[in-house]
Each structure stands twice: as structure tokens, then as C-alpha cells.
Amino acid sequence: MTTISILGLGAMGRALAAALVNAGHDVTVWNRTPGKDGGLGARTAASAQEAIEASDIAVVCLLDDASVRETLAPIAPNLSGRLIVNLTNGSARQARELAKWITGYGVRYLAGGIMAVPFTVATEGAFILYSGPRELFDEVAPALAPMARPQWAGEDHGFAALYDMAALSGMYGITAGAHHAIRLVHAEGGDVEAFRQDVLRPWMDQMLSIQIDGATPSGAIPAEFNAQMQAVALQTMIDNSAESGVAETMTGHLSAVLWMMRRSIENAERNR
Ligand code: FVH
């Protein structure tokens, strides 16, 4: 049995720790602020260093890159040979710099990105991206699998963060669109629940794959998707939003796509 420590008992750290305990692992936890370990059935370490030294694998899940640096910096010289998996959200640059810094102390290090929210941890759709040495991934994946399906993103320590950031961008695009849609229907006295179930959900289900498959690095819109027509429709949507009294800031996603359509039209004209 692999022993695992979880550093950070926020909503996500607690969910990860609970999944590992439920799977029968011997789990040690540490949190900056004491008292967040209640009901987990894990051992509690008195310090971050004690937590890392207590287990074969130490999983770090804190707020951000700065909090990881703050936690690890004072103890890094004592961590040579330890295996640390950092699942804290960060940018690709932060992930690469952190990897370079911590491996400089002889730490065996994997970076990660959690593609789950606390209540979907340990459920079927949840997965976690890992990047760094393949052999480290192969070593930790079976033990960490109870948290969420492990998926390797490459040797480059920045890739898990990169894919995480990019996937979150996709999700937040949907967040912006869904909130704006509901706000718009509500502003005009529409039936929000009927709209949500009978219009928005089936429309998004129909469109999701098409939008994902059609996205390109250049932002070019294929001729059959008629960028000219879409630019006109997008401007109408932005105008409709203003006419309905919805705050202009809620239409940022529409403005972004309108800008993309106009650029695609300009490029197509230039290349004609
Ligand atoms: N929750 C979610 O939906 C998302 C899903 C995808 C992945 N994210 C990322 O996971 C990281 C942790 O998120 P979280 O939900 O656990 O966040 P919080 O509940 O706010 O807990 C934050 C923990 O970080 C500790 N902490 C904050 N600052 C420091 C610091 N300077 N030194 C040491 N620890 C620090 C905090 O400790 P405390 O405030 O209780 O003492 C919590 O344990 C995150 O990167 C998400 O983006 C979650």
C-alpha cells in the first residue's frame, strides 16, 4: 500500500483526501490553519515538512503558486529524494519555474491540473492531468487513481497547467454565455426554467462538439460558417442585450467572437 499525504485542506484538498481514505490508503494531512481535518479519518501532521516526510507521495493542493512557494521554500533544502505532486492551479510558466526550482533540491516532482470540482472527485468523469517525467507518472498513477482518472500530459512540467488553463477557458466561455442567456430571458420576463430545460440545454448539447471541433489556432472561420452573417447576428445579440437592459459587461464573450469574425473576414478579403 502506498502512503499518501495531502497538503491543503480546502474544499478540493479535503475531497482528494476523502477519496484516498475511502479507497483504503493510509493518508496524512496538513493544513496551514489547523482544525480542517475533522471527519476525514486521516492522520494529521504538525507541519508541511512532517506531512511530506510521512508518506511515499505528497500531494500539494493549495490556493495558488505563491502559497505553494511560501509553504515549500523554508523546507525545500530538506526534501531531497521526496516525491511531490503539485495539483495547485497555476500558469504554465509558474509550473515550469516551480519544477525547475524544486527539482534543484533533488525533489522528484510532477505537476498537475485537476479536471474536477470537489463534488465530482472520485466520480466517473473526473480526471487529473499530470506532467513531468513519465516514469514518475507511472509510479504514482495507480495510487492516486481513486481521486480521479490519471492522465499524462507530457514530459514538459508546464503542460498539465497549460491544458488545465485552456480547458478552464472553454468552461468559463460556457459560464459567461449561460449566465448572460439566463439574465437576458429574465430581464424580458421570460420563463427562465422552461428556457433552461427546453431551449438552452438542448441547444448547447447540439452545439458543444461542433464548437470544440471547429476551433482553430488562427481563429479562421470556415467559409460554410459564413463569418459575415455571424458578425451581423452577433451585433444584433449585443444590441438586444442593451435593449433589454442587461449590463454591457455581460456581453464580453459576444464581443470577443464578433472581433474574431471581423478578423476572419478581413483576412479572407486580404487573401482573395
Ligand atoms: N474547488 C474547485 O472547484 C477547483 C476545481 C479545480 C482545481 N481547483 C484548484 O485547486 C486548488 C485548491 O482549491 P480549493 O477549492 O481547495 O481552494 P480553497 O477551499 O480556497 O482552499 C485553499 C487552500 O489553500 C491554503 N492556503 C491558501 N494560502 C496559503 C498559504 N499562503 N500558505 C499555505 N496554505 C495556503 C488554504 O489554507 P487555509 O486558508 O485553510 O489555512 C486552503 O487549504 C486551487 O489551486 C484551485 O484553483 C479547485
Side-chain angles (χ1 to χ4, degrees):
M1 191 175 61
T2 312
T3 53
I4 305 170
S5 290
I6 300 283
L7 282 79
L9 292 176
M12 184 49 83
R14 275 189 64 89
L16 299 176
L20 294 168
V21 169
N22 290 340
H25 278 298
D26 184 339
V27 178
T28 298
V29 294
W30 171 83
N31 194 62
R32 176 184 61 173
T33 307
K36 295 200 173 171
D37 52 353
L40 278 174
R43 295 169 217 274
T44 299
S47 67
Q49 181 168 334
E50 189 184 305
I52 293 169
E53 287 173 345
S55 297
D56 303 318
I57 306 170
V59 174
V60 178
C61 187
L62 303 179
L63 181 64
D64 58 6
D65 184 67
S67 58
V68 176
R69 292 265 185 178
E70 196 180 315
T71 302
L72 297 183
I75 57 174
N78 311 325
L79 300 179
S80 181
R82 293 287 162 189
L83 203 172
I84 295 180
V85 179
N86 180 22
L87 301 182
T88 304
N89 182 285
S91 72
R93 177 191 58 79
Q94 288 173 335
R96 288 184 185 120
E97 288 178 3
L98 191 61
K100 194 172 172 201
W101 170 71
I102 199 79
T103 56
Y105 287 103
V107 169
R108 303 164 71 221
Y109 183 75
L110 275 179
I114 304 172
M115 306 315 298
V117 293
F119 64 87
T120 65
V121 164
T123 65
E124 203 186 331
F127 61 107
I128 298 179
L129 297 165
Y130 296 91
S131 56
R134 176 73 205 206
E135 65 274 15
L136 276 192
F137 171 75
D138 291 337
E139 186 178 332
V140 304
L144 300 186
M147 305 189 304
R149 176 175 55 79
Q151 186 166 316
W152 192 57
E155 294 275 343
D156 182 333
H157 277 105
F159 271 23
L162 177 70
Y163 294 170
D164 184 16
M165 292 280 119
L168 288 175
S169 168
M171 184 198 75
Y172 280 120
I174 295 173
T175 307
H179 276 267
H180 179 250
I182 296 291
R183 178 79 68 95
L184 194 56
V185 170
H186 182 258
E188 292 277 0
D191 183 335
V192 167
E193 284 317 308
F195 168 76
R196 192 197 307 275
Q197 298 309 331
D198 304 337
V199 181
L200 188 58
R201 193 183 301 278
W203 172 241
M204 299 291 254
D205 285 348
Q206 191 192 147
M207 283 296 117
L208 190 61
S209 291
I210 296 173
Q211 298 305 327
I212 292 170
D213 294 347
T216 61
S218 67
I221 307 300
E224 68 267 30
F225 291 130
N226 195 344
Q228 196 80 51
M229 169 278 292
Q230 292 203 59
V232 172
L234 281 155
Q235 189 58 60
T236 306
M237 282 174 233
I238 293 168
D239 294 344
N240 187 152
S241 189
E243 288 159 15
S244 301
V246 174
E248 197 185 339
T249 45
M250 299 275 308
T251 60
H253 60 302
L254 298 174
S255 299
V257 184
L258 176 56
W259 174 83
M260 228 174 73
M261 294 297 161
R262 287 182 176 153
R263 231 188 68 178
S264 185
I265 295 163
E266 282 165 17
N267 286 340
E269 279 168 0
R270 209 171 296 129
N271 295 332
R272 205 177 293 145

